[in-house]
Amino acid sequence: MIALGSDHAGFPLKEEIKNHLQQKGIEYKDYGCYSIESVDYPDIAETVALAVVQGQCDKGILVCGTGIGVSIAANKVPGIRAALCGDVFSAKASVEHNDANILTMGQRVTGPGLAIEIVDAWLAAAFLGDRHKRRVDKITALDRKYGRCLSEEKIDGQ
């Protein structure tokens, strides 16, 4: 199952992606937003990221105006490897080499036709493992190292 989310700026493209997934028979859960009314993208990104890391969904797709904000926000959740992709090659490589579990895109920079091609390439790609696994394991180690550090500082600081 795919976790979908967007802010108001990404809402129209998210709806295009949702329709495409429906037509292909791919299950998804829409975590909002549900209109062009203003919302804060970090809230949506966190909700989608948690759905992925907690195993409620296998992967996630996030859309905002540029794709940058949701990418930054989602990557703050340990275990998330969100990749901002504006082309098919990067989408495929983000999974094959980096085991990306969230795809992010920008409504204002990626047209719907290309976005659908990116989604299809990203969903069809598989992690290659091998030498790439060693590198992804190092990313996971950074999550553990700094995620734990930040959590302890917050607890001690309050």
Side-chain angles (χ1 to χ4, degrees), residues 7-139:
D7 70 355
H8 54 285
F11 174 74
L13 185 56
K14 182 196 70 166
E15 292 298 298
E16 295 270 351
I17 293 166
K18 188 164 72 171
N19 290 336
H20 179 69
L21 295 176
Q22 261 177 337
Q23 290 173 2
K24 292 190 81 167
I26 297 171
E27 289 186 42
Y28 65 87
K29 181 166 183 185
D30 186 346
Y31 287 91
C33 72
Y34 306 107
S35 73
I36 58 169
E37 187 175 324
S38 184
V39 298
D40 296 331
Y41 64 82
D43 299 334
I44 303 294
E46 179 185 21
T47 302
V48 168
L50 288 174
V52 173
V53 295
Q54 293 173 348
Q56 298 163 10
C57 294
D58 304 308
K59 294 182 172 196
I61 300 172
L62 286 164
V63 186
C64 67
T66 63
I68 297 168
V70 289
S71 180
I72 292 169
N75 278 315
K76 297 296 181 187
V77 176
I80 291 301
R81 291 175 304 280
L84 170 59
C85 298
D87 62 86
V88 171
F89 178 83
S90 296
K92 184 177 174 194
S94 75
V95 175
E96 291 179 346
H97 295 209
N98 311 115
D99 201 17
N101 50 13
I102 293 182
L103 168 66
T104 74
M105 291 186 290
Q107 159 82 33
R108 295 176 180 145
V109 294
T110 306
L114 177 56
I116 296 306
E117 289 180 35
I118 291 169
V119 166
D120 286 345
W122 190 76
L123 291 175
F127 182 52
L128 296 176
D130 195 32
R131 72 183 189 276
H132 305 293
K133 183 181 180 329
R134 181 179 75 247
R135 296 165 185 155
V136 171
D137 288 346
K138 288 183 177 190
I139 294 170

